Amino acid sequence: MPVSSSPAFIVLRGSDPLPPTLARPVLAIGNFDGVHRGHRAVFEAARSMARERGAPALALTFEPHPRTFFSPQTAPFRLTPEGAKLRQIAASGLEGAIVLPFDQALATMDAEAFVRDILVGRYGVSGIAVGFDFHFGRARAGSPTFLEGAGRRHGFAVTVVDPMRDEDDPISSTAIRKALSAGQVGHAAHMLGRPFTVTAEVRHGDKRGRTIGFPTANLALAGNVDLAFGIYAVRANTADGRRFDGVANFGRRPTFDNGAPLLEVHLFDFTGDLYGQTLEVELHAYLRPELKFEGIDALVAQIAEDARRARAVLAQL
């Protein structure tokens, strides 16, 4: 799927130079995994600074996520892989994004060098907006307080955005992951400002669903996706722009094989073939945990009830 429907949104990578139209930018800096409501508050702060200065407002982000670079085996699952993250940033009203590769050179660069050589030397920033918990540079020595001092030394403005809260708890990517792992998709959606969404290619499965009257589109999600196993009410967007309600199971199918986790999506009122196509699936409600059934008849009866409940839930949205 394209990063943005707007041709004005520009994505720069690595040492790509800024075009003249983006000179002296205000940068919203962060990892921005999830592009949640707190992140969008940082974007709005950057846009406000940019309006005051007659400057463009861009996001500066990092790939891979630094925690993936430092500890790939224990890194948290990505709420928004790079493509999804950039699409959300594009939808936020910023004029572009700079994606810096988080590699050994960047990981060992000290905070002052990052400011001097990259923010000032490469991009000529006129302003910076960051969240209250943003840190950067070797050993995470660069803090919002450090940035404010660097701004005074180098002549750029700095806005530090306070935490946004949801029911008294700070909104964060970590809090959203925790909610998803507990099946609290409504709470996650409130922090995100939209339903949690996964995107993957539809793959061939064992085609068991069609034999029991509930054909499914099977999606293998990233190996460390930590969603609660169970049944979800979903909405899915196909690559050609069609939108369907549905019911989905994420789990290991204990009634049959207890295999690798798979998202199996049954789309209501759909006919056709989605194999090899990309499907975007929004999780709107968690209906129940995944269960093991003693026989096919019991399973089919439960799927029918799950589908009924999913239709009812989605009809209220």
Side-chain angles (χ1 to χ4, degrees):
M1 295 183 179
V3 167
S4 170
S5 59
S6 170
F9 188 80
I10 295 174
V11 178
L12 303 173
R13 298 183 183 277
S15 58
D16 289 348
L18 287 175
T21 55
L22 299 181
R24 298 286 292 159
V26 173
L27 297 182
I29 307 178
N31 296 310
F32 302 133
D33 185 31
V35 195
H36 54 61
R37 289 166 54 205
H39 295 148
R40 291 200 292 279
V42 176
F43 299 156
E44 180 51 40
R47 292 175 63 195
S48 178
M49 295 172 70
R51 285 192 295 269
E52 293 173 359
R53 290 162 175 74
L58 311 175
L60 188 153
T61 191
F62 310 93
E63 288 293 339
H65 192 289
R67 289 175 67 180
T68 300
F69 174 83
F70 286 115
S71 185
Q73 300 306 314
T74 59
F77 84 86
R78 290 286 297 270
L79 298 170
T80 45
E82 182 180 350
K85 178 170 72 172
L86 290 174
R87 286 192 293 274
Q88 290 295 330
I89 292 173
S92 73
L94 297 180
E95 293 165 64
I98 300 167
V99 182
L100 290 184
F102 197 89
D103 53 17
Q104 187 66 27
L106 195 60
T108 57
M109 181 179 291
D110 66 47
E112 180 60 33
F114 181 80
V115 171
R116 182 189 65 241
D117 298 341
I118 295 181
L119 298 185
V120 176
R122 184 183 299 175
Y123 299 123
V125 295
S126 61
I128 298 292
V130 295
F132 71 101
D133 57 351
F134 177 68
H135 288 77
F136 65 100
R138 186 171 60 233
R140 292 170 52 85
S143 65
T145 300
F146 176 90
L147 260 182
E148 289 171 331
R152 290 189 290 270
R153 294 193 303 275
H154 293 281
F156 58 82
V158 175
T159 294
V160 179
V161 178
D162 291 334
M164 181 171 287
R165 295 184 176 274
D166 182 81
E167 298 178 356
D168 295 328
D169 295 324
I171 293 173
S172 69
S173 302
T174 298
I176 293 167
R177 293 187 194 100
K178 182 178 179 180
L180 291 170
S181 70
Q184 299 169 350
V185 294
H187 184 37
H190 196 255
M191 289 187 281
L192 285 165
R194 63 186 187 282
F196 176 68
T197 302
V198 296
T199 303
E201 183 179 297
V202 178
R203 49 169 277 185
H204 286 275
D206 54 25
K207 300 180 176 56
R208 187 182 293 116
R210 67 178 60 182
T211 69
I212 60 175
F214 293 95
T216 60
N218 301 316
L219 289 77
L221 306 184
N224 65 342
V225 169
D226 189 20
L227 290 176
F229 285 177
I231 309 302
Y232 294 84
V234 302
R235 283 191 168 137
N237 303 302
T238 62
D240 59 5
R242 292 179 294 167
R243 186 168 171 85
F244 296 90
D245 287 358
V247 63
N249 179 81
F250 180 65
R252 297 182 178 275
R253 305 159 306 283
T255 302
F256 297 107
D257 58 11
N258 209 36
L262 193 67
L263 182 67
E264 300 172 289
V265 185
H266 172 65
L267 302 179
F268 303 146
D269 309 313
F270 173 82
T271 58
D273 183 350
L274 291 171
Y275 293 124
Q277 298 183 40
T278 298
L279 196 65
E280 183 181 73
V281 182
E282 303 167 359
L283 307 186
H284 284 273
Y286 182 76
L287 302 180
R288 65 168 176 84
E290 187 177 41
L291 302 172
K292 182 176 181 177
F293 294 89
E294 293 304 318
I296 297 298
D297 290 345
L299 172 63
V300 171
Q302 184 61 59
I303 295 175
E305 173 60 15
D306 294 336
R308 185 198 66 76
R309 288 185 62 201
R311 286 182 185 271
V313 167
L314 296 167
Q316 299 301 312
L317 299 180

